[in-house]
Amino acid sequence: MSYYDIDSIIAENQKIPCTCLVSIPGLGHEGREVSQGSKVELPFWLAEVFAVNSFVDIHMPPPFSSVVRNALKANPNTVALRDTTTHFYHFAEQLLHVVSDTSLAEVVLDTLRQRSMEIADAAVNPQGAIQQNNSFIEGLDDFERLLFRLAYLSHRDIARWQKQN
Amino acid sequence: MSSATALCCTLSPEEIEFLAENMKIEIVPLETMDQLPLISCTIPVMKPPRKLKIPLWLALKLKTQGRARIVPPEWLNVATLEQLRNEEIEQDAFAPLPFHWLEVAQMLLRDCADDMEDVEQIQRLLLELREARQNKARKGLEAVNEVQLGVDNLGAMEINEIRPFFTQIMNRMQKVVQASKEGE
């Protein structure tokens, strides 16, 4: 969660639905006041500070809704994580700092574990993987893309080294 | 992420090969040579046909110059490799191969094939071993957690291959577990 890390900035910018516990001036359209009890969507970095000070109540954001969670529990490899958010794992980590939800942590860990196997397989032959399994590759979030790239680079380097003899 | 970040995570195969070249290997010198006092070690006097052990990098150099013959290490023959391969296929754990088996085998097959017997069979066995171990490493992903990873009997090159992938996953898992513990 470092201040200048681009991934952090993007992940923290995710909108999250909140309910105001008090009236908050300046938050509304054109600086108007937002009355108590109304629902707003705030970026996470703002919602976090408000929630810690008990100005708002935060609700589960769409990427971690029960619909997505059930889909992930059933078969993580068929879910296009990128459609929920580009920084799924990063956002989950930051949300877990504020919210206590062990089942979310378990779902996230299991998802990562299972999808990483698919990623490792696909990285051995990216061209073939893109042809056969395009929806999976396109549905990878940013962290998974990094994993894909790392696996591919390691594999390519060793293959190159073995071939030079 | 740029490839520069990827480079920081791990060593290149050539670097692993370089580290492997420090291993001692037995040679049969074909010419006499005086003692060589080097910084890392002192190479003893060479009098053919007396065998002696020298570092691999020097052995390969002498071999390519035609001044020595290599004695293959005791694990690099058909019988031992077949036994190891059978062990690899039957058990879930990794068979006990030497730490630098992949690099040493490749270098010896490249430069000293004439000093070894049944080179083609050895190559085939090495390929089978490598594939079996790769499959096992991939299956190890099922059990990855944020705390530890068992890499018993894995070779240097193989560890290097999985290092960036696994460490990134484990770091990410560690952060999620840490955050969920804090949130409680």
Side-chain angles (χ1 to χ4, degrees):
Chain A
M1 278 223 293
S2 53
Y3 193 66
Y4 292 110
D5 178 32
I6 300 267
D7 286 324
S8 263
I9 295 177
I10 298 180
E12 280 175 356
N13 217 19
Q14 294 286 325
K15 291 283 172 52
I16 182 170
C18 310
T19 313
C20 295
L21 296 173
V22 294
S23 302
I24 304 180
L27 198 59
H29 187 52
E30 285 170 3
R32 279 177 240 168
E33 193 180 88
V34 172
S35 51
Q36 179 178 4
S38 51
K39 287 203 173 152
V40 276
E41 281 219 335
L42 300 174
F44 181 72
W45 52 268
L46 190 56
E48 184 179 10
V49 178
F50 279 176
V52 165
N53 287 314
S54 300
F55 292 153
V56 297
D57 232 352
I58 53 180
H59 308 293
M60 204 46 74
F64 308 124
S65 65
S66 42
V67 175
V68 175
R69 282 201 223 190
N70 288 334
L72 287 175
K73 277 187 213 161
N75 188 356
N77 292 335
T78 52
V79 177
L81 274 191
R82 200 170 187 81
D83 289 346
T84 61
T85 165
T86 53
H87 286 72
F88 186 79
Y89 300 101
H90 214 124
F91 188 31
E93 173 207 334
Q94 299 191 352
L95 188 65
L96 282 169
H97 273 293
V98 185
V99 169
S100 162
D101 191 347
T102 36
S103 73
L104 175 62
E106 276 175 30
V107 167
V108 169
L109 289 177
D110 263 337
T111 310
L112 180 56
R113 205 170 284 137
Q114 299 215 28
R115 283 170 78 94
S116 62
M117 291 181 74
E118 271 300 307
I119 296 176
D121 280 342
V124 171
N125 183 7
Q127 295 280 54
I130 293 184
Q131 280 173 2
Q132 284 177 352
N133 210 353
N134 203 12
S135 52
F136 177 70
I137 306 285
E138 280 187 358
L140 295 177
D141 89 327
D142 262 29
F143 176 64
E144 292 171 331
R145 284 193 179 180
L146 168 68
L147 288 180
F148 187 64
R149 195 173 160 72
L150 286 176
Y152 170 62
L153 285 176
S154 319
H155 182 258
R156 179 200 70 177
D157 283 343
I158 288 206
R160 178 181 43 90
W161 171 74
Q162 282 184 317
K163 241 186 257 160
Q164 64 169 272
N165 292 319
Chain B
M1 275 210 183
S2 62
S3 59
T5 334
L7 275 174
C8 300
C9 303
T10 184
L11 299 166
S12 75
E14 287 80 11
E15 289 169 343
I16 304 274
E17 196 181 55
F18 181 73
L19 291 172
E21 282 175 351
N22 229 7
M23 263 184 56
K24 287 277 168 71
I25 190 169
E26 204 168 28
I27 63 159
V28 180
L30 299 173
E31 298 175 2
T32 44
M33 246 177 68
D34 284 336
Q35 194 185 50
L36 273 181
L38 305 174
I39 294 180
S40 56
C41 58
T42 301
I43 313 289
V45 171
M46 295 199 215
K47 262 203 167 88
R50 197 169 56 188
K51 293 187 195 176
L52 74 157
K53 283 201 175 204
I54 60 171
L56 183 59
W57 57 269
L58 185 56
L60 292 175
K61 202 96 198 118
L62 292 178
K63 169 73 189 176
T64 48
Q65 289 175 350
R67 293 157 75 164
R69 269 195 353 254
I70 306 269
V71 175
E74 63 273 355
W75 55 271
L76 197 58
N77 57 62
V78 173
T80 320
L81 286 179
E82 258 181 11
Q83 187 196 0
L84 283 168
R85 185 223 30 209
N86 292 339
E87 239 186 88
E88 193 73 61
I89 295 182
E90 282 156 25
Q91 295 174 3
D92 275 341
F94 290 93
L97 278 168
F99 189 47
H100 289 288
W101 69 276
L102 198 52
E103 309 85 86
V104 169
Q106 176 144 322
M107 285 191 274
L108 289 182
L109 285 170
R110 179 189 68 200
D111 290 336
C112 326
D114 49 345
D115 286 335
M116 307 195 317
E117 301 175 349
D118 299 323
V119 170
E120 281 189 17
Q121 237 190 323
I122 290 188
Q123 274 173 331
R124 195 175 41 85
L125 284 167
L126 287 171
L127 259 173
E128 286 176 18
L129 269 170
R130 169 111 172 100
E131 274 181 24
R133 289 160 81 95
Q134 258 180 322
N135 281 338
K136 278 191 199 168
R138 187 201 159 280
K139 264 210 291 225
L141 270 175
E142 277 176 359
V144 71
N145 58 44
E146 77 279 3
V147 184
Q148 58 174 349
L149 183 72
V151 288
D152 300 346
N153 284 331
L154 223 48
M157 188 69 77
E158 295 166 314
I159 294 186
N160 193 51
E161 189 180 10
I162 67 177
R163 181 183 300 122
F165 195 69
F166 273 76
T167 48
Q168 283 289 332
I169 293 183
M170 290 170 77
N171 280 343
R172 182 57 71 190
M173 286 186 148
Q174 163 73 0
K175 286 191 196 160
V176 169
V177 169
Q178 192 75 31
S180 94
K181 284 210 188 100
E182 275 177 25
E184 279 169 23

